[in-house]
Amino acid sequence: MTNQPPPMPAAPPSVALPAVAPKQVVTRRRVLAVAVLLAGALAVAGIVHWLGRPSYDEVVRGCQRALVAQYEAHGRGRPAACDGVKGDDYDALVLNTAMGNLGWLDRDGTFDKDKMLEGTLDEP
């Protein structure tokens, strides 16, 4: 008894074996799987980025706080916190802040015509 394998059968003459082993071909299934994983990762990253950004209301509130601080410091110009606020909304915030500094608004922020006409200010 020998440990040698049996002899290989002769290959038919019409089948020629390549001299070098062929490279592994990337299958369509693998390409599709990579594309799906990449699209899923991009979707998750986009959602995380979108959820991490402040809402427009938060930007407006920040702008309002910046305008109040600017008026108290006698500053001028548009604060950097107001960069994301639309023009009409910014104008309304500036007017509201000016009216509040002039004392024309009640403690809850509503307009008081009598205070404006009399020129009286709220006492803290």
Side-chain angles (χ1 to χ4, degrees):
M1 180 156 215
T2 65
N3 288 338
Q4 293 186 0
M8 294 290 292
S14 62
V15 178
L17 296 175
V20 179
K23 295 181 181 179
Q24 186 177 4
V25 178
V26 178
T27 62
R28 285 186 183 183
R29 188 174 292 181
R30 183 179 295 164
V31 171
L32 182 62
V34 169
V36 167
L37 288 174
L38 183 62
L42 287 174
V44 168
I47 289 171
V48 168
H49 175 70
W50 179 70
L51 290 175
R53 296 183 62 195
S55 68
Y56 185 70
D57 291 339
E58 293 170 343
V59 172
V60 168
R61 278 188 240 118
C63 176
Q64 189 174 17
R65 286 190 294 272
L67 284 171
V68 169
Q70 181 175 333
Y71 270 103
E72 290 173 357
H74 303 291
R76 291 181 176 226
R78 185 177 182 138
C82 299
D83 287 343
V85 179
K86 296 176 186 172
D88 290 343
D89 293 338
Y90 176 74
D91 294 341
L93 287 172
V94 169
L95 183 61
N96 188 348
T97 305
M99 289 171 60
N101 284 341
L102 291 172
W104 294 355
L105 302 178
D106 285 338
R107 292 187 190 278
D108 60 354
T110 58
F111 178 68
D112 189 358
K113 182 179 177 182
D114 295 332
K115 285 184 180 181
M116 182 200 66
L117 294 175
E118 295 172 7
T120 60
L121 298 175
D122 279 340
E123 298 297 324

